[in-house]
Amino acid sequence: MKNLLLLAVVALLALTPAFAQNEKYLQAMTAALQTFQQQTSGEPDAAAMQELANRFERIGAAEPNEWLPRYYAAYAYGTLGFSGDNLRTKDQYLDKADALLKEAERIPSQQADELAVMKAYITQARLAADPMSRWQTYGAQFGEYLAIAKKSNANNPRIYYLEGTNLFYTPEEYGGGKKAAKPLFEKAMEKYAHFQPASTLHPQWGKEHTRWFMEQCNQ
Amino acid sequence: MKLLYVLLLIGLATTTQAQTLVSGKVTDRKGHALPGANVFLKGTYDGTTTDTLGIFRFSTFEKDSATVAVSFVGYEGFEQKIRLLGREVPLVIKLAEAASELNTVVITAGAFEASDEKRMAMLKPLDIVTTAGAAADITGAMQFLPGAQRVGEQEGLFVRGGSGLETKVVIDGMIVQNPFFSSLPDVQQRGRFNPFMFKGTSFSTGGYSAQYGQALSSVLLLHTTDRVSNNGLGVSLNLANAGLNYDHVGAKQSVSAVAYYGNLKPLFALVKQNVDWLRAPEFVGSSLTYRLKTTPHGLLKVYGMYSDSRLSMNTRDPGRESGQTKLDLTNRNAFVTSTYTDQWADGRWLLNTGFSYSRNADGMTFDGLGFDRFDERTQARAVLTRQLPGNSTVLFGAEVHAIRLENGVEGVLYSLQDNYSAAFVETEIYLSRQLAARLGTRAEYSSLLNRFNLAPRLSLAYKTGPYSQVALAAGQFYQNPDYRYLYLNQNLGFERADHAILNYQIIKNKRTFRIEAFYKNYAQLVREYTGQAFDANPYRFPWGRTDNAGYGYAQGFDVFWRDQKLVKNFDYWVSYSYVDSRRLFQQFEVSATPTFVSNHNASLITKYWLEKIQTSLNLTYAFTSGRPYYNPNHEYFLRDRTPPVHLVSLQASKLTSLKGNFVVLYASLDNVLNTRNVFTYRFTPDGQTRYAVGPQSYRSFFVGMQIYLSKKAKVDKADL
């Protein structure tokens, strides 16, 4: 009996770090995602976004087999890539995002559609940084990434959300505008209605944004 | 049971052990605080972000030792082992700036780049296409860049005292045998290639890489696009031609097809011609591009084009009593080129290969006498590049060409065959972020000359400040003599040029300043001895005795200034080139400045984008000082000068839509002031009458449009 108890305690002690680690990951991610939600729902603050990117990156560094911290860090850097001061810093943020996604891609548990959507988002930021001279390269690449995402999971609502934003900001003369974008936001909403993330940590952003854009389209 | 307590105690001990406080400051090398840096202990969740003063502070339960890691965008990562003993660990961390295009020196001497990708480029590809006065022709636009001299009556790029033959046009590494439409007497011909095919252009005015050869003065490197952004049908309509283009983009492959028919009759009816056309040029053509992504990084590109044109004109011929000669020309030209690029080991190995074939046939008669021309070039090329740590590279490559040429002169057919091969090795070494060197050697062999040459090339660049750098380039450049000499004398050797170039440039805040000085030594140039008076007819066949005894020099400098900041949506650049050159070559009996050299070339190019009406307004002013011409009435040789040439051109393009289809409208007005420019003079054999050779037309205009019929067509100003 004594021995059995001893064995149980030893086993418990041995297991604790593993449990704790997993628990730690869940806790850290949940907390970071809460801030993430706050940050991405309003006007993003660059310093807070950088802090958030750092947080995800730290989690990623401690958890080499998790793709989600890298994915969210890339998202944060993508947002910084949109809001950066100048072309050079924007590109530096986006280079960082690309590097994080490259790491995420090598992790077996990754989701190809979500990574492709994120790549499209980063590409959109590159395009927005200097549209006049980047249209040719990044305009086409944006479409390519979304095509990859569709192939992998056509029900991912973020594909249509991004497609919609792209058209929304393209002038009407070039086939864009609110009218052209609206059906895509509608499609995204429809997909959001049925979308179930694999876990609470998995990507589920974009619904609020889509709603906002739909309102703009109706104005 | 005792043991159990001990174990539990140990377990409790690990959790109640004191935290260690890790704190400090992150700065750059100069001590400026870096807010937003990520500071953490490797492999743990412990860490934080530096505040606005670069200060960080966090606690950890880790014990003994850990590794502090710092990362911050734009800076090199930092790691340091620390001891964790429960006491506060204060750290001062200095981060080094990461290497980037902006803080690393770039080898620039001699090269003038237009690229979207490279941040050190002086221009964007779009800037070239929209230059007023260039008529959407690549070489037309290059003539306004520093280092180029404008020669109005001939095609070709005349660079720093070099002739048009001393510049080679290279597409994706492959030499283009016929970059221009067939040469006509005193008429400047356009380039054959659509500028929208290219994503980048590098115009080297000297001191270029060992990867290229057979050009004494310059190479114009054109890089074709890897992708198309348009999908669907397009229609192009203008005063000279009508065309259809179709693009189809798939996941891994894309196809672009172009077909056109052109006839200059309507244009010539509207714009008064100085040339006596008997039959206005008429042409049909087509091209097909196929791109296939074979692997994630592997790309196969095949481009093929065919064109057929015919025309008839009376050319000025001072040597005849009638003063003119009737010329008939039919041209058939085909060019196929394919390239394959791939990379391995995370981009550490890069492969570029290419194969091309070109064939050109001119059926030409002067007053019914045959002057047919035919040429054929087959070439293959492979370059393997190895990326080394710290940005350095080393590359090896080889190329082989088989060239066949035929030339009919008054019914007699001359022909020759040359097998030319070359091998080269080149390394780019970054000694530091401030200092880089490029060392290369090229070995060439020509079967026709039965000779070898070995050409060393060297470039150095040193960064003098955050925005400025100086660069130096030197090297030897060989070229086969003009094939016209080789028909009669195949004992000639390579012609040679030695270049030395010094460059300074500063790019700051959307403003660019660049100055470059050069000295060029010419040696082993072909001289022709006729024992007769100089014959100024540029189309004469060189029948005299020839050798490689010619020599000469060219020296000068050029300046470039661009300002995109002065006024919003307004962009201008100014180029000035000075060249002084003398040569003893061809039929020259004394050293003189060749007829294609003008001492001063200046140009002002402006672009204004009117956002509200989606219209771009472009203006170009170009000045070319007088050029030498041969006057048989004077004892001295080539000392007369033509008057200077002035040119003002306007161009406008508007983006609009037509029934939901995207449309680009464009209009241009060339030689707005209707200046009666003279390029050179010719004399009758008795020296009594002088003819002026000028442009094909004085003031002229052109209008056209491009319609994108696909609904998905999304085009913006970048496609203009």
Side-chain angles (χ1 to χ4, degrees), chain A residues 25 50 54 58 63 88 130 132-133 135-136 144 173-174, chain B residues 36 38 45 49 97 102 116 124 227 614 655 714-715 718-719:
Chain A
Y25 172 67
Q50 176 71 61
N54 287 350
R58 286 199 297 270
E63 302 286 351
R88 187 192 172 195
D130 186 6
M132 273 187 202
S133 50
W135 180 261
Q136 290 245 320
E144 279 169 30
E173 290 93 329
Y174 321 140
Chain B
N38 200 3
Y45 281 72
T49 297
E97 220 182 321
L102 282 172
D116 281 335
K124 303 240 160 141
R227 53 176 86 236
Q614 300 271 301
L655 313 183
K714 280 176 269 169
V715 186
D719 287 344

PDB file of all heavy atoms in Angstrom, chain A residues 25 50 54 58 63 88 130 132-133 135-136 144 173-174, chain B residues 36 38 45 49 97 102 116 124 227 614 655 714-715 718-719:
ATOM      1  N   TYR A  25       0.008  26.918 -21.613  1.00  0.00           N
ATOM      2  CA  TYR A  25      -0.189  27.300 -23.012  1.00  0.00           C
ATOM      3  C   TYR A  25      -1.611  27.797 -23.215  1.00  0.00           C
ATOM      4  O   TYR A  25      -1.857  28.859 -23.788  1.00  0.00           O
ATOM      5  CB  TYR A  25       0.109  26.100 -23.925  1.00  0.00           C
ATOM      6  CG  TYR A  25      -0.248  26.334 -25.385  1.00  0.00           C
ATOM      7  CD1 TYR A  25       0.458  27.270 -26.149  1.00  0.00           C
ATOM      8  CD2 TYR A  25      -1.286  25.633 -25.984  1.00  0.00           C
ATOM      9  CE1 TYR A  25       0.121  27.495 -27.471  1.00  0.00           C
ATOM     10  CE2 TYR A  25      -1.615  25.844 -27.302  1.00  0.00           C
ATOM     11  CZ  TYR A  25      -0.914  26.788 -28.042  1.00  0.00           C
ATOM     12  OH  TYR A  25      -1.245  27.002 -29.346  1.00  0.00           O
ATOM     13  N   GLN A  50       2.292  45.762 -31.084  1.00  0.00           N
ATOM     14  CA  GLN A  50       3.651  45.237 -30.997  1.00  0.00           C
ATOM     15  C   GLN A  50       3.784  44.356 -29.753  1.00  0.00           C
ATOM     16  O   GLN A  50       4.380  43.279 -29.790  1.00  0.00           O
ATOM     17  CB  GLN A  50       4.656  46.398 -30.944  1.00  0.00           C
ATOM     18  CG  GLN A  50       6.099  45.972 -30.754  1.00  0.00           C
ATOM     19  CD  GLN A  50       6.679  45.294 -31.986  1.00  0.00           C
ATOM     20  OE1 GLN A  50       6.757  45.874 -33.055  1.00  0.00           O
ATOM     21  NE2 GLN A  50       7.062  44.032 -31.846  1.00  0.00           N
ATOM     22  N   ASN A  54       4.655  40.428 -29.630  1.00  0.00           N
ATOM     23  CA  ASN A  54       5.728  39.890 -28.792  1.00  0.00           C
ATOM     24  C   ASN A  54       5.223  38.755 -27.903  1.00  0.00           C
ATOM     25  O   ASN A  54       5.904  37.751 -27.717  1.00  0.00           O
ATOM     26  CB  ASN A  54       6.308  40.997 -27.906  1.00  0.00           C
ATOM     27  CG  ASN A  54       7.149  41.981 -28.707  1.00  0.00           C
ATOM     28  OD1 ASN A  54       7.449  41.737 -29.878  1.00  0.00           O
ATOM     29  ND2 ASN A  54       7.507  43.078 -28.089  1.00  0.00           N
ATOM     30  N   ARG A  58       6.556  35.036 -27.938  1.00  0.00           N
ATOM     31  CA  ARG A  58       7.165  34.376 -26.769  1.00  0.00           C
ATOM     32  C   ARG A  58       6.535  33.004 -26.544  1.00  0.00           C
ATOM     33  O   ARG A  58       7.229  32.034 -26.268  1.00  0.00           O
ATOM     34  CB  ARG A  58       6.982  35.249 -25.518  1.00  0.00           C
ATOM     35  CG  ARG A  58       7.865  36.454 -25.487  1.00  0.00           C
ATOM     36  CD  ARG A  58       8.009  37.012 -24.081  1.00  0.00           C
ATOM     37  NE  ARG A  58       6.769  37.494 -23.515  1.00  0.00           N
ATOM     38  CZ  ARG A  58       6.322  38.748 -23.648  1.00  0.00           C
ATOM     39  NH1 ARG A  58       7.024  39.621 -24.347  1.00  0.00           N
ATOM     40  NH2 ARG A  58       5.188  39.117 -23.095  1.00  0.00           N
ATOM     41  N   GLU A  63       6.870  27.092 -27.291  1.00  0.00           N
ATOM     42  CA  GLU A  63       6.104  25.942 -27.788  1.00  0.00           C
ATOM     43  C   GLU A  63       6.413  25.684 -29.262  1.00  0.00           C
ATOM     44  O   GLU A  63       5.680  26.115 -30.145  1.00  0.00           O
ATOM     45  CB  GLU A  63       4.591  26.218 -27.637  1.00  0.00           C
ATOM     46  CG  GLU A  63       4.149  26.514 -26.224  1.00  0.00           C
ATOM     47  CD  GLU A  63       4.114  25.272 -25.339  1.00  0.00           C
ATOM     48  OE1 GLU A  63       4.277  24.150 -25.868  1.00  0.00           O
ATOM     49  OE2 GLU A  63       3.916  25.425 -24.122  1.00  0.00           O
ATOM     50  N   ARG A  88       9.595  51.401 -45.573  1.00  0.00           N
ATOM     51  CA  ARG A  88      10.657  50.541 -45.066  1.00  0.00           C
ATOM     52  C   ARG A  88      10.205  49.770 -43.824  1.00  0.00           C
ATOM     53  O   ARG A  88      10.365  48.555 -43.730  1.00  0.00           O
ATOM     54  CB  ARG A  88      11.875  51.397 -44.751  1.00  0.00           C
ATOM     55  CG  ARG A  88      13.074  50.573 -44.379  1.00  0.00           C
ATOM     56  CD  ARG A  88      14.146  51.441 -43.792  1.00  0.00           C
ATOM     57  NE  ARG A  88      15.207  50.606 -43.259  1.00  0.00           N
ATOM     58  CZ  ARG A  88      16.130  51.050 -42.439  1.00  0.00           C
ATOM     59  NH1 ARG A  88      16.125  52.297 -42.058  1.00  0.00           N
ATOM     60  NH2 ARG A  88      17.052  50.231 -41.990  1.00  0.00           N
ATOM     61  N   ASP A 130       2.373  50.285 -51.306  1.00  0.00           N
ATOM     62  CA  ASP A 130       2.803  51.001 -52.511  1.00  0.00           C
ATOM     63  C   ASP A 130       2.029  50.451 -53.705  1.00  0.00           C
ATOM     64  O   ASP A 130       2.594  49.764 -54.557  1.00  0.00           O
ATOM     65  CB  ASP A 130       4.326  50.810 -52.709  1.00  0.00           C
ATOM     66  CG  ASP A 130       4.866  51.643 -53.860  1.00  0.00           C
ATOM     67  OD1 ASP A 130       4.091  52.446 -54.418  1.00  0.00           O
ATOM     68  OD2 ASP A 130       6.055  51.492 -54.191  1.00  0.00           O
ATOM     69  N   MET A 132       0.735  51.543 -56.471  1.00  0.00           N
ATOM     70  CA  MET A 132       1.035  51.879 -57.854  1.00  0.00           C
ATOM     71  C   MET A 132       2.061  50.963 -58.481  1.00  0.00           C
ATOM     72  O   MET A 132       1.910  50.524 -59.609  1.00  0.00           O
ATOM     73  CB  MET A 132       1.534  53.313 -57.940  1.00  0.00           C
ATOM     74  CG  MET A 132       0.419  54.306 -58.074  1.00  0.00           C
ATOM     75  SD  MET A 132       1.137  55.905 -58.360  1.00  0.00           S
ATOM     76  CE  MET A 132      -0.194  56.946 -57.849  1.00  0.00           C
ATOM     77  N   SER A 133       3.119  50.687 -57.733  1.00  0.00           N
ATOM     78  CA  SER A 133       4.152  49.877 -58.366  1.00  0.00           C
ATOM     79  C   SER A 133       4.089  48.421 -57.925  1.00  0.00           C
ATOM     80  O   SER A 133       4.806  47.589 -58.444  1.00  0.00           O
ATOM     81  CB  SER A 133       5.534  50.465 -58.081  1.00  0.00           C
ATOM     82  OG  SER A 133       5.674  50.703 -56.723  1.00  0.00           O
ATOM     83  N   TRP A 135       1.118  46.621 -57.745  1.00  0.00           N
ATOM     84  CA  TRP A 135      -0.103  45.956 -58.156  1.00  0.00           C
ATOM     85  C   TRP A 135       0.195  44.665 -58.907  1.00  0.00           C
ATOM     86  O   TRP A 135      -0.355  43.607 -58.598  1.00  0.00           O
ATOM     87  CB  TRP A 135      -0.971  46.882 -59.004  1.00  0.00           C
ATOM     88  CG  TRP A 135      -2.188  46.151 -59.395  1.00  0.00           C
ATOM     89  CD1 TRP A 135      -2.420  45.526 -60.586  1.00  0.00           C
ATOM     90  CD2 TRP A 135      -3.305  45.862 -58.564  1.00  0.00           C
ATOM     91  NE1 TRP A 135      -3.619  44.884 -60.536  1.00  0.00           N
ATOM     92  CE2 TRP A 135      -4.185  45.073 -59.309  1.00  0.00           C
ATOM     93  CE3 TRP A 135      -3.638  46.198 -57.249  1.00  0.00           C
ATOM     94  CZ2 TRP A 135      -5.385  44.612 -58.782  1.00  0.00           C
ATOM     95  CZ3 TRP A 135      -4.839  45.734 -56.744  1.00  0.00           C
ATOM     96  CH2 TRP A 135      -5.694  44.960 -57.508  1.00  0.00           C
ATOM     97  N   GLN A 136       1.092  44.802 -59.885  1.00  0.00           N
ATOM     98  CA  GLN A 136       1.356  43.671 -60.778  1.00  0.00           C
ATOM     99  C   GLN A 136       1.761  42.415 -60.008  1.00  0.00           C
ATOM    100  O   GLN A 136       1.238  41.342 -60.252  1.00  0.00           O
ATOM    101  CB  GLN A 136       2.452  44.055 -61.758  1.00  0.00           C
ATOM    102  CG  GLN A 136       1.971  45.069 -62.760  1.00  0.00           C
ATOM    103  CD  GLN A 136       1.958  44.521 -64.159  1.00  0.00           C
ATOM    104  OE1 GLN A 136       2.864  43.806 -64.555  1.00  0.00           O
ATOM    105  NE2 GLN A 136       0.931  44.819 -64.910  1.00  0.00           N
ATOM    106  N   GLU A 144      -3.742  34.367 -55.742  1.00  0.00           N
ATOM    107  CA  GLU A 144      -3.204  32.996 -55.713  1.00  0.00           C
ATOM    108  C   GLU A 144      -3.355  32.368 -54.326  1.00  0.00           C
ATOM    109  O   GLU A 144      -3.742  31.206 -54.202  1.00  0.00           O
ATOM    110  CB  GLU A 144      -1.732  32.994 -56.121  1.00  0.00           C
ATOM    111  CG  GLU A 144      -1.540  33.034 -57.623  1.00  0.00           C
ATOM    112  CD  GLU A 144      -0.100  33.310 -58.020  1.00  0.00           C
ATOM    113  OE1 GLU A 144       0.817  32.927 -57.262  1.00  0.00           O
ATOM    114  OE2 GLU A 144       0.094  33.915 -59.088  1.00  0.00           O
ATOM    115  N   GLU A 173     -13.728  52.133 -61.330  1.00  0.00           N
ATOM    116  CA  GLU A 173     -13.223  52.075 -62.714  1.00  0.00           C
ATOM    117  C   GLU A 173     -12.476  50.777 -62.981  1.00  0.00           C
ATOM    118  O   GLU A 173     -12.379  50.320 -64.111  1.00  0.00           O
ATOM    119  CB  GLU A 173     -12.262  53.238 -62.995  1.00  0.00           C
ATOM    120  CG  GLU A 173     -12.901  54.593 -63.056  1.00  0.00           C
ATOM    121  CD  GLU A 173     -12.861  55.281 -61.713  1.00  0.00           C
ATOM    122  OE1 GLU A 173     -12.904  54.591 -60.676  1.00  0.00           O
ATOM    123  OE2 GLU A 173     -12.804  56.527 -61.699  1.00  0.00           O
ATOM    124  N   TYR A 174     -11.913  50.231 -61.938  1.00  0.00           N
ATOM    125  CA  TYR A 174     -11.106  49.019 -62.129  1.00  0.00           C
ATOM    126  C   TYR A 174     -11.848  47.774 -61.652  1.00  0.00           C
ATOM    127  O   TYR A 174     -11.242  46.783 -61.264  1.00  0.00           O
ATOM    128  CB  TYR A 174      -9.764  49.133 -61.396  1.00  0.00           C
ATOM    129  CG  TYR A 174      -9.122  50.490 -61.464  1.00  0.00           C
ATOM    130  CD1 TYR A 174      -8.484  51.048 -60.362  1.00  0.00           C
ATOM    131  CD2 TYR A 174      -9.157  51.231 -62.653  1.00  0.00           C
ATOM    132  CE1 TYR A 174      -7.912  52.303 -60.437  1.00  0.00           C
ATOM    133  CE2 TYR A 174      -8.585  52.482 -62.736  1.00  0.00           C
ATOM    134  CZ  TYR A 174      -7.972  53.015 -61.624  1.00  0.00           C
ATOM    135  OH  TYR A 174      -7.401  54.252 -61.692  1.00  0.00           O
TER     136      TYR A 174
ATOM    137  N   GLY B  36       9.314  48.630 -27.575  1.00  0.00           N
ATOM    138  CA  GLY B  36       8.601  47.590 -28.330  1.00  0.00           C
ATOM    139  C   GLY B  36       9.417  46.338 -28.575  1.00  0.00           C
ATOM    140  O   GLY B  36       8.951  45.416 -29.230  1.00  0.00           O
ATOM    141  N   ASN B  38      11.106  42.729 -27.847  1.00  0.00           N
ATOM    142  CA  ASN B  38      10.632  41.545 -27.133  1.00  0.00           C
ATOM    143  C   ASN B  38      11.782  40.958 -26.318  1.00  0.00           C
ATOM    144  O   ASN B  38      12.797  40.553 -26.872  1.00  0.00           O
ATOM    145  CB  ASN B  38      10.129  40.531 -28.174  1.00  0.00           C
ATOM    146  CG  ASN B  38       9.187  39.508 -27.575  1.00  0.00           C
ATOM    147  OD1 ASN B  38       8.859  39.578 -26.394  1.00  0.00           O
ATOM    148  ND2 ASN B  38       8.749  38.572 -28.393  1.00  0.00           N
ATOM    149  N   TYR B  45       7.816  30.981 -20.693  1.00  0.00           N
ATOM    150  CA  TYR B  45       6.793  31.972 -20.987  1.00  0.00           C
ATOM    151  C   TYR B  45       7.156  33.333 -20.405  1.00  0.00           C
ATOM    152  O   TYR B  45       6.394  34.274 -20.491  1.00  0.00           O
ATOM    153  CB  TYR B  45       5.451  31.523 -20.402  1.00  0.00           C
ATOM    154  CG  TYR B  45       4.754  30.485 -21.244  1.00  0.00           C
ATOM    155  CD1 TYR B  45       5.235  29.188 -21.294  1.00  0.00           C
ATOM    156  CD2 TYR B  45       3.623  30.808 -21.980  1.00  0.00           C
ATOM    157  CE1 TYR B  45       4.606  28.227 -22.062  1.00  0.00           C
ATOM    158  CE2 TYR B  45       2.980  29.862 -22.747  1.00  0.00           C
ATOM    159  CZ  TYR B  45       3.475  28.562 -22.781  1.00  0.00           C
ATOM    160  OH  TYR B  45       2.847  27.620 -23.538  1.00  0.00           O
ATOM    161  N   THR B  49       7.726  43.243 -23.019  1.00  0.00           N
ATOM    162  CA  THR B  49       8.048  44.176 -24.101  1.00  0.00           C
ATOM    163  C   THR B  49       8.630  45.431 -23.484  1.00  0.00           C
ATOM    164  O   THR B  49       8.139  45.890 -22.446  1.00  0.00           O
ATOM    165  CB  THR B  49       6.755  44.510 -24.862  1.00  0.00           C
ATOM    166  OG1 THR B  49       6.266  43.309 -25.451  1.00  0.00           O
ATOM    167  CG2 THR B  49       6.999  45.526 -25.962  1.00  0.00           C
ATOM    168  N   GLU B  97      21.751  46.862 -35.858  1.00  0.00           N
ATOM    169  CA  GLU B  97      20.781  46.956 -36.938  1.00  0.00           C
ATOM    170  C   GLU B  97      20.956  45.783 -37.903  1.00  0.00           C
ATOM    171  O   GLU B  97      22.086  45.413 -38.235  1.00  0.00           O
ATOM    172  CB  GLU B  97      20.985  48.271 -37.697  1.00  0.00           C
ATOM    173  CG  GLU B  97      19.681  48.922 -38.097  1.00  0.00           C
ATOM    174  CD  GLU B  97      19.903  50.189 -38.881  1.00  0.00           C
ATOM    175  OE1 GLU B  97      20.827  50.946 -38.549  1.00  0.00           O
ATOM    176  OE2 GLU B  97      19.156  50.403 -39.831  1.00  0.00           O
ATOM    177  N   LEU B 102      18.738  49.134 -47.298  1.00  0.00           N
ATOM    178  CA  LEU B 102      19.020  50.545 -47.057  1.00  0.00           C
ATOM    179  C   LEU B 102      20.299  50.777 -46.277  1.00  0.00           C
ATOM    180  O   LEU B 102      20.918  51.803 -46.416  1.00  0.00           O
ATOM    181  CB  LEU B 102      17.836  51.189 -46.328  1.00  0.00           C
ATOM    182  CG  LEU B 102      16.668  51.507 -47.251  1.00  0.00           C
ATOM    183  CD1 LEU B 102      15.474  51.963 -46.440  1.00  0.00           C
ATOM    184  CD2 LEU B 102      17.038  52.558 -48.281  1.00  0.00           C
ATOM    185  N   ASP B 116      10.743  47.563 -59.569  1.00  0.00           N
ATOM    186  CA  ASP B 116       9.791  47.713 -58.478  1.00  0.00           C
ATOM    187  C   ASP B 116      10.320  47.064 -57.218  1.00  0.00           C
ATOM    188  O   ASP B 116       9.921  47.390 -56.115  1.00  0.00           O
ATOM    189  CB  ASP B 116       8.464  47.019 -58.833  1.00  0.00           C
ATOM    190  CG  ASP B 116       7.643  47.882 -59.762  1.00  0.00           C
ATOM    191  OD1 ASP B 116       7.837  49.110 -59.738  1.00  0.00           O
ATOM    192  OD2 ASP B 116       6.824  47.327 -60.501  1.00  0.00           O
ATOM    193  N   LYS B 124      11.151  53.338 -61.705  1.00  0.00           N
ATOM    194  CA  LYS B 124      10.274  52.172 -61.730  1.00  0.00           C
ATOM    195  C   LYS B 124       9.981  51.862 -63.200  1.00  0.00           C
ATOM    196  O   LYS B 124      10.018  52.763 -64.043  1.00  0.00           O
ATOM    197  CB  LYS B 124       8.976  52.508 -61.014  1.00  0.00           C
ATOM    198  CG  LYS B 124       9.213  52.971 -59.587  1.00  0.00           C
ATOM    199  CD  LYS B 124       8.537  52.086 -58.609  1.00  0.00           C
ATOM    200  CE  LYS B 124       9.149  52.240 -57.256  1.00  0.00           C
ATOM    201  NZ  LYS B 124       8.214  52.212 -56.193  1.00  0.00           N
ATOM    202  N   ARG B 227       4.543  36.843 -64.085  1.00  0.00           N
ATOM    203  CA  ARG B 227       3.120  36.577 -63.922  1.00  0.00           C
ATOM    204  C   ARG B 227       2.349  37.650 -64.666  1.00  0.00           C
ATOM    205  O   ARG B 227       2.864  38.718 -64.978  1.00  0.00           O
ATOM    206  CB  ARG B 227       2.743  36.580 -62.444  1.00  0.00           C
ATOM    207  CG  ARG B 227       3.190  37.852 -61.743  1.00  0.00           C
ATOM    208  CD  ARG B 227       2.730  37.873 -60.318  1.00  0.00           C
ATOM    209  NE  ARG B 227       3.645  37.207 -59.416  1.00  0.00           N
ATOM    210  CZ  ARG B 227       3.287  36.210 -58.622  1.00  0.00           C
ATOM    211  NH1 ARG B 227       2.059  35.771 -58.627  1.00  0.00           N
ATOM    212  NH2 ARG B 227       4.140  35.661 -57.813  1.00  0.00           N
ATOM    213  N   GLN B 614      -8.143  61.177 -63.054  1.00  0.00           N
ATOM    214  CA  GLN B 614      -7.425  59.930 -63.357  1.00  0.00           C
ATOM    215  C   GLN B 614      -6.589  60.070 -64.624  1.00  0.00           C
ATOM    216  O   GLN B 614      -6.632  59.243 -65.522  1.00  0.00           O
ATOM    217  CB  GLN B 614      -8.428  58.781 -63.532  1.00  0.00           C
ATOM    218  CG  GLN B 614      -9.271  58.525 -62.307  1.00  0.00           C
ATOM    219  CD  GLN B 614      -8.606  57.546 -61.372  1.00  0.00           C
ATOM    220  OE1 GLN B 614      -8.321  56.408 -61.750  1.00  0.00           O
ATOM    221  NE2 GLN B 614      -8.310  57.980 -60.182  1.00  0.00           N
ATOM    222  N   LEU B 655      -7.348  57.186 -67.428  1.00  0.00           N
ATOM    223  CA  LEU B 655      -7.999  55.923 -67.092  1.00  0.00           C
ATOM    224  C   LEU B 655      -9.494  56.170 -66.996  1.00  0.00           C
ATOM    225  O   LEU B 655      -9.941  57.100 -66.345  1.00  0.00           O
ATOM    226  CB  LEU B 655      -7.518  55.421 -65.734  1.00  0.00           C
ATOM    227  CG  LEU B 655      -6.027  55.429 -65.461  1.00  0.00           C
ATOM    228  CD1 LEU B 655      -5.764  54.823 -64.096  1.00  0.00           C
ATOM    229  CD2 LEU B 655      -5.303  54.648 -66.522  1.00  0.00           C
ATOM    230  N   LYS B 714      -8.636  44.209 -63.460  1.00  0.00           N
ATOM    231  CA  LYS B 714      -8.354  45.236 -62.474  1.00  0.00           C
ATOM    232  C   LYS B 714      -7.010  45.801 -62.850  1.00  0.00           C
ATOM    233  O   LYS B 714      -5.994  45.146 -62.730  1.00  0.00           O
ATOM    234  CB  LYS B 714      -8.316  44.633 -61.069  1.00  0.00           C
ATOM    235  CG  LYS B 714      -9.705  44.420 -60.505  1.00  0.00           C
ATOM    236  CD  LYS B 714      -9.639  43.744 -59.174  1.00  0.00           C
ATOM    237  CE  LYS B 714      -9.708  42.259 -59.310  1.00  0.00           C
ATOM    238  NZ  LYS B 714      -9.400  41.550 -58.107  1.00  0.00           N
ATOM    239  N   VAL B 715      -7.047  47.007 -63.318  1.00  0.00           N
ATOM    240  CA  VAL B 715      -5.816  47.603 -63.784  1.00  0.00           C
ATOM    241  C   VAL B 715      -5.708  48.954 -63.107  1.00  0.00           C
ATOM    242  O   VAL B 715      -6.711  49.575 -62.817  1.00  0.00           O
ATOM    243  CB  VAL B 715      -5.863  47.776 -65.310  1.00  0.00           C
ATOM    244  CG1 VAL B 715      -4.541  48.256 -65.820  1.00  0.00           C
ATOM    245  CG2 VAL B 715      -6.267  46.483 -65.969  1.00  0.00           C
ATOM    246  N   ALA B 718      -0.413  51.620 -62.663  1.00  0.00           N
ATOM    247  CA  ALA B 718       0.807  50.866 -62.893  1.00  0.00           C
ATOM    248  C   ALA B 718       0.803  50.159 -64.241  1.00  0.00           C
ATOM    249  O   ALA B 718       1.843  49.763 -64.741  1.00  0.00           O
ATOM    250  CB  ALA B 718       1.000  49.848 -61.783  1.00  0.00           C
ATOM    251  N   ASP B 719      -0.375  50.019 -64.844  1.00  0.00           N
ATOM    252  CA  ASP B 719      -0.434  49.300 -66.112  1.00  0.00           C
ATOM    253  C   ASP B 719      -0.401  50.242 -67.302  1.00  0.00           C
ATOM    254  O   ASP B 719      -0.493  49.811 -68.441  1.00  0.00           O
ATOM    255  CB  ASP B 719      -1.716  48.457 -66.166  1.00  0.00           C
ATOM    256  CG  ASP B 719      -1.619  47.251 -65.247  1.00  0.00           C
ATOM    257  OD1 ASP B 719      -0.487  46.946 -64.842  1.00  0.00           O
ATOM    258  OD2 ASP B 719      -2.642  46.647 -64.926  1.00  0.00           O
TER     259      ASP B 719
END
